[in-house]
Amino acid sequence: MSSNRPDIRPQLGLRRIINVSGTMTALGASIVVPEAVQMVDSILSEFVEINELHRRACATIAQATGAEAGCMTASCSAGISVSIAGCMTGADLARIEQLPDATGMKDEVLIQPGHMVYYGAPIEQAIRLTGAKVVTVGQATFARPYHLAAAVTERTAAAVYVISHHAVQYGQIELGEFCAICRARGVPVIVDAASEYDLRGFLAKGADLVAYSAHKFLGGPTAGIVAGRKDLVRAAFLQNYGIGRGMKVGKESIAGAIAALEAWGKRDHAAVRAREAGYLKLWMERLAKVPGLRPSIVPDPTDNPLDRLKLEVDQGESSTTAWALAAALARAEPPIIVRDHEVEHGHFFLDPCNLHPGEAEVVADQIASVAAAIRGKPSPDLADLRRRQYEALLAWPDRLP
Ligand SMILES: *Cc1c(COP(=O)(O)O)cnc(C)c1O
């Protein structure tokens, strides 16, 4: 590694992985920006009146998003749960303490099946944690406005809309129309925009609440950000006195996320893009020369201002598979963790967003050398590979031999 930054990982017995997978919670999400690191460091040894810190966060979120109000939560997933709970209880502490028993409250939450994503846990569970029931709208690749209109009943508490590469990208109801249908029927719309750079557009299209992750593109500590209508944000905040207690966000995450949001407003986004474009160019040039690898540059599927390198593995020419190469890279030294959620299609992606200086070169070298090393070796069966990963998970904290 060319940089001399201090690295705590070996002291903890951790591998020095290089993340070209994206802002994955399972890999520690993102490189936290210096402003947030400084803030976390400064607040940890101080006492604070936590609701005053929340009030300060509310102002920062409102300013950054154009919303009436905002609230910090433990994570985006927690933000979805407390937002739904707030739609069920309003600002009523008796109801807040009653959940997840939803007796006497509206308890149906609408979602398109194409939006029933898995982000490390199923989004339906984040909804059901409140005591609400999930009601689907249309089918996985076919949801229409009439499905949504017909699904609304007097029990409907809220509707959830997901913007994500995890969601089905066609056959869904467009957000503006989704919000218009819900608004006409008095149903609040909660948008899961965990990984979306756009802090204003979803509210502008009519969403009542939008939930983001602080620890993804913003480069904050682990936290969630909920922005939107003041009455609903207040009701979501008040869940800290109910089901939100076990998902509470600490002072370091609230203050750190405030710093990350403020830093986002001042960030030189053009310079960041130029740096990422430089990595992509380097990878294109280097990997196009590796037999059997076909690199191309592809835009983000949900229109974030971000491109990635798509690496197609030609099984005939490379005599290996995309999943064998991805798995071998994860075992290599240093380990390279690629974006492999579509690996059965014969490709994976390299995400340029989370690299320390010098790492892009290491990634290119490592891919070239690992591809050469596994050339002609039999590729594992993808189902076997996945079964082993599953068995390894279930064996935790033990390690499989
Ligand atoms: C990452 C992600 C989440 C979960 O975010 P956390 O802040 O880690 O809870 C929820 N929804 C989508 C679409 C995501 O990508």
Side-chain angles (χ1 to χ4, degrees), residues 52-260:
E52 290 304 315
L53 183 56
H54 269 298
R55 212 187 301 278
R56 172 65 165 72
C58 175
T60 302
I61 297 168
Q63 162 120 62
T65 61
E68 283 176 6
C71 173
M72 293 295 182
T73 59
S75 65
C76 180
S77 193
I80 294 166
S81 297
V82 297
S83 292
I84 288 164
C87 292
M88 296 165 72
T89 63
D92 177 335
L93 287 169
R95 287 183 156 202
I96 287 166
E97 291 183 17
Q98 185 188 312
L99 290 185
D101 174 354
T103 307
M105 301 177 216
K106 294 184 177 187
D107 66 349
E108 292 178 358
V109 176
L110 307 180
I111 186 168
Q112 299 172 93
H115 287 194
M116 289 172 57
V117 296
Y118 181 89
Y119 46 71
I123 193 169
E124 301 99 279
Q125 188 174 37
I127 297 171
R128 286 187 293 104
L129 271 173
T130 62
K133 298 181 187 72
V134 172
V135 175
T136 57
V137 173
Q139 276 68 45
T141 58
F142 187 79
R144 290 289 180 269
Y146 69 84
H147 289 132
L148 179 59
V152 175
T153 72
E154 70 286 346
R155 302 209 62 81
T156 308
V160 171
Y161 194 100
V162 180
I163 319 264
S164 167
H165 73 280
H166 295 298
V168 176
Q169 300 297 324
Y170 62 94
Q172 311 300 304
I173 305 167
E174 187 271 325
L175 176 61
E177 193 169 18
F178 191 96
C179 293
I181 292 166
C182 288
R183 176 152 302 177
R185 291 159 181 79
V187 174
V189 174
I190 300 162
V191 172
D192 173 1
S195 288
E196 302 308 302
Y197 289 35
D198 184 350
L199 294 178
R200 292 177 173 261
F202 313 120
L203 291 166
K205 280 196 167 169
D208 296 284
L209 291 174
V210 182
Y212 297 93
S213 290
H215 44 279
K216 293 184 175 174
F217 61 100
L218 287 169
T222 303
I225 296 167
V226 173
R229 250 171 64 189
K230 191 189 283 183
D231 61 328
L232 295 178
V233 169
R234 176 181 294 130
F237 164 77
L238 288 171
Q239 305 304 317
N240 283 318
Y241 297 86
I243 62 162
R245 172 69 196 196
M247 318 172 188
K248 72 171 176 287
V249 58
K251 62 185 176 184
E252 67 281 11
S253 280
I254 304 172
I258 291 172

